[in-house]
Amino acid sequence: MSAASWIAVDWGLSNLRAWVIGADGDILDKRVSGQGVNTLARDAFEAALLDLIGDALPETGRMTILVCGNAGAREGWAEAPYRAVPSAPPGVAQATRALTLDPRLDIRILPGLKQMKPPDVMRGEETQIAGVFAARPNFDGVICLPGTHTKWAQVSAREVVSFRTFMTGEIFALLEKRSVLRHVVGDGWDDAAFAEAVGEGMSRPAPLASNLFSLRAEALLAGLAPDAARARLSGLLIGMELAGARAYWLGQPVLIVGEVGIAQAYRTALAAQGAMVETIDAEAVTLGGLVAARAGMKDAAP
Amino acid sequence: MSAASWIAVDWGLSNLRAWVIGADGDILDKRVSGQGVNTLARDAFEAALLDLIGDALPETGRMTILVCGNAGAREGWAEAPYRAVPSAPPGVAQATRALTLDPRLDIRILPGLKQMKPPDVMRGEETQIAGVFAARPNFDGVICLPGTHTKWAQVSAREVVSFRTFMTGEIFALLEKRSVLRHVVGDGWDDAAFAEAVGEGMSRPAPLASNLFSLRAEALLAGLAPDAARARLSGLLIGMELAGARAYWLGQPVLIVGEVGIAQAYRTALAAQGAMVETIDAEAVTLGGLVAARAGMKDAAP
């Protein structure tokens, strides 16, 4: 096994992920912890990182730790101010350094992107977009990154031109777990119910709040199945989002970057609208984006 | 003070309210407890009621306790099956009796209303509607009952013809207290921000989930004031509801039944659309509805 050369880190709100990279660019190790930004005070980041990758550091000398995600937020480890779009995904030259007690750590935190009108921000997704550019250098179109806060980014010539964030995933989770609908929503899925609800949400978004309550009423009055209720809840929300994001995906090639389940749901919904849609592995483009962001360093490996 | 004749009870999910009524119809006392249906197992209802009104019962003999609200739900004290619309608000003849250990209690629980298409249910609001009919015998039009689950009811000739429930209040509370927006939303209000957001939510409901995230982004990027953020959150959701409920209020006289703050917000939003809108006191119509529902009893006071 070759010696570690640098460490790539994706530090999101819920999780901390690290890849230990060898001198010839091979992945020596991959590690995950639950010490996301949401769980950490500012002075706890260094210890959380050392917990996860301390044993991969050299005995002497410094090692570059290149970080994307919410670690660069104002309430994170060290603020990496947003870059305004249109912009290429930021590289290491735009990164913020964090001070550390351990002299072996050379921390570089990548900025996110901001848009003033309409107001919007992203942190972490810009690095996934850099990974898409690395994997698909000629891709122009729209990148959709579904998740808690789904992003739609218009990209051209390896720049992010504009983007919009939809809180669809967070709203789904709140309704599923904390609203009156928790009594009627199961753990499973129903493809037909999802597809029908996407169509309903797209064509008639305004009655959303009543269509949601109807899930509860139909369960009480007509025994709506819990799996169908969950798929319809998701479909109504994603359908409304597709109607709201229509300017992004209509007539554009769309590349979906996300976890398998949610990426598949978006792909199904978009394909039903005749959109030109592909998916690409989220973890691969995250790491690819960090590798691409580091390529600007003077001592970067080939 | 005259002796208690019967007791009117509004037993909702969060609260238990009771009015002790004298032989000549005067209100002898009013009491409230936090022992709502959500907090009680089935065998705890009697004790909760006795805690609140036990000292108003006669030493011997039975007293009618007429109850509206979720105490009649399947998971309540005793199920009072829904009546299907079109229907007049149910009266005591349709009530369900609950068995009690204390022989002085004569419990009658009023049913709610159901609608099969689109599926919908109400429990408690039908009694408020009965109170509207008592106060305004000739009212035909739409009754809007804003709250956690806002109801819009089309009424004619003292019957509920159809109705729709919007989960707007519950969605607002989840977003305000439990979503990423909790970081940017204050406790106050901003009339101009509310009015503008109602217009935005009505005219363009589909981008709701992105307009919501923009509150977070605008707070980060441009210092959006917390009071304005809260008013816009409310306005976007109520605006979307008004678009979805347009068939109810357009060209119809609208009577709003609700707590002062939320009733005023709906009134402002509807009036800006040129709707013919009035408000009526929620507590008065709740009690008025219970009085009207009891009027069918053989021994009812005049």
Side-chain angles (χ1 to χ4, degrees):
Chain A
M1 189 172 100
S2 66
S5 170
W6 66 287
I7 297 177
V9 171
D10 173 21
W11 209 327
L13 290 174
S14 308
N15 290 296
L16 164 59
R17 289 189 179 81
W19 296 265
V20 181
I21 313 290
D24 51 2
D26 50 326
I27 301 169
L28 303 182
D29 203 358
K30 176 191 155 187
R31 299 171 185 188
V32 181
S33 99
Q35 294 199 284
V37 173
N38 268 347
T39 71
L40 296 171
R42 175 153 296 182
D43 59 6
F45 280 79
E46 182 174 343
L49 185 64
L50 288 171
D51 275 354
L52 189 64
I53 54 87
D55 65 322
L57 296 177
E59 284 184 34
T60 60
R62 304 184 82 195
M63 184 173 285
T64 299
I65 318 285
L66 184 59
V67 181
C68 72
N70 285 283
R74 202 171 297 168
E75 58 276 16
W77 192 354
E79 187 174 3
Y82 296 107
R83 312 276 297 185
V85 294
S87 170
V92 71
Q94 286 88 41
T96 289
R97 292 176 185 237
L99 298 179
T100 61
L101 298 172
D102 189 319
R104 297 170 301 170
L105 293 169
D106 174 23
I107 306 291
R108 315 286 184 106
I109 305 179
L110 293 167
L113 294 179
K114 70 179 174 184
Q115 174 177 277
M116 299 309 289
K117 198 173 159 84
D120 218 323
V121 292
M122 66 168 70
R123 277 204 189 275
E125 293 88 354
E126 74 296 327
T127 303
Q128 295 186 301
I129 291 170
V132 171
F133 293 159
R136 303 278 297 268
N138 298 316
F139 181 79
D140 272 14
V142 169
I143 301 173
C144 172
L145 305 107
T148 302
H149 296 159
T150 296
K151 311 283 178 184
W152 294 82
Q154 172 78 43
V155 303
S156 177
R158 307 184 73 166
E159 285 197 338
V160 177
V161 177
S162 69
F163 66 100
R164 284 302 268 149
T165 303
F166 289 72
M167 289 179 59
T168 306
E170 186 166 13
I171 296 170
F172 173 80
L174 288 169
L175 290 170
E176 180 190 29
K177 299 294 186 199
R178 297 185 182 272
S179 83
V180 68
L181 301 182
R182 70 186 183 279
H183 301 301
V184 307
V185 165
D187 295 325
W189 196 251
D190 179 322
D191 285 330
F194 175 73
E196 187 185 10
V198 168
E200 172 78 10
M202 277 195 74
S203 61
R204 298 176 57 241
L208 174 76
S210 56
N211 289 335
L212 292 174
F213 189 79
S214 279
L215 300 177
R216 165 74 165 158
E218 190 171 337
L220 285 169
L221 300 179
L224 174 64
D227 291 352
R230 182 161 179 268
R232 275 171 57 183
L233 170 57
S234 175
L236 288 168
L237 293 169
I238 290 177
M240 181 171 75
E241 176 179 331
L242 293 190
R246 199 186 303 264
Y248 274 88
W249 56 262
L250 194 67
Q252 298 268 3
V254 178
L255 206 50
I256 299 176
V257 176
E259 303 297 322
V260 172
I262 188 68
Q264 187 57 41
Y266 274 76
R267 181 182 187 143
T268 302
L270 281 163
Q273 299 303 317
M276 299 168 284
V277 55
E278 294 174 87
T279 56
I280 188 167
D281 183 64
E283 184 174 325
V285 296
T286 303
L287 179 55
L290 284 161
V291 169
R294 181 172 175 273
M297 280 189 85
K298 277 198 301 248
D299 61 343
Chain B
M1 190 172 97
S2 67
S5 171
W6 65 288
I7 297 177
V9 171
D10 173 21
W11 210 326
L13 289 174
S14 309
N15 290 296
L16 163 60
R17 290 189 178 80
W19 296 264
V20 181
I21 313 290
D24 51 2
D26 49 328
I27 301 169
L28 303 181
D29 203 357
K30 176 192 155 186
R31 301 173 185 186
V32 180
S33 97
Q35 294 199 282
V37 173
N38 268 346
T39 71
L40 297 172
R42 174 154 296 183
D43 59 6
F45 281 79
E46 181 173 345
L49 184 65
L50 288 171
D51 275 353
L52 190 64
I53 54 87
D55 65 322
L57 297 176
E59 283 184 35
T60 59
R62 302 186 83 196
M63 183 172 286
T64 299
I65 318 285
L66 184 59
V67 181
C68 71
N70 285 283
R74 202 170 297 166
E75 59 277 16
W77 192 354
E79 186 174 5
Y82 296 107
R83 312 277 296 185
V85 293
S87 170
V92 71
Q94 286 88 40
T96 290
R97 291 176 186 236
L99 298 179
T100 61
L101 297 172
D102 189 316
R104 298 171 300 169
L105 294 169
D106 174 22
I107 307 292
R108 314 286 184 106
I109 305 178
L110 293 166
L113 295 179
K114 68 180 175 184
Q115 172 177 279
M116 299 310 288
K117 198 174 159 93
D120 218 324
V121 292
M122 66 167 70
R123 275 203 189 276
E125 293 88 353
E126 75 296 327
T127 302
Q128 295 185 302
I129 291 170
V132 171
F133 293 158
R136 303 278 297 271
N138 299 315
F139 181 79
D140 272 14
V142 169
I143 301 173
C144 171
L145 305 108
T148 302
H149 295 159
T150 296
K151 311 282 179 187
W152 293 83
Q154 172 78 44
V155 303
S156 177
R158 308 184 72 168
E159 285 197 337
V160 178
V161 178
S162 68
F163 66 100
R164 283 302 269 149
T165 303
F166 289 72
M167 288 180 59
T168 305
E170 185 166 14
I171 296 171
F172 174 80
L174 288 170
L175 291 170
E176 181 190 28
K177 299 295 186 199
R178 297 184 183 273
S179 83
V180 68
L181 301 182
R182 71 187 183 276
H183 301 302
V184 306
V185 165
D187 294 326
W189 194 253
D190 179 323
D191 285 330
F194 175 74
E196 187 186 9
V198 169
E200 172 78 11
M202 277 196 74
S203 60
R204 297 174 59 239
L208 174 76
S210 56
N211 289 334
L212 293 173
F213 189 78
S214 279
L215 301 177
R216 165 75 165 157
E218 191 171 335
L220 284 170
L221 300 179
L224 175 64
D227 291 353
R230 182 161 179 269
R232 275 171 56 183
L233 170 57
S234 176
L236 288 168
L237 292 169
I238 290 177
M240 182 172 75
E241 177 179 331
L242 293 190
R246 199 185 303 263
Y248 274 86
W249 56 262
L250 195 67
Q252 297 268 4
V254 178
L255 206 50
I256 298 176
V257 176
E259 303 298 321
V260 172
I262 188 68
Q264 188 56 41
Y266 274 75
R267 182 183 187 141
T268 302
L270 281 163
Q273 299 303 317
M276 299 168 284
V277 56
E278 293 174 89
T279 55
I280 188 167
D281 184 66
E283 183 173 325
V285 297
T286 303
L287 179 55
L290 285 160
V291 169
R294 182 172 176 274
M297 280 189 85
K298 277 197 299 244
D299 61 344

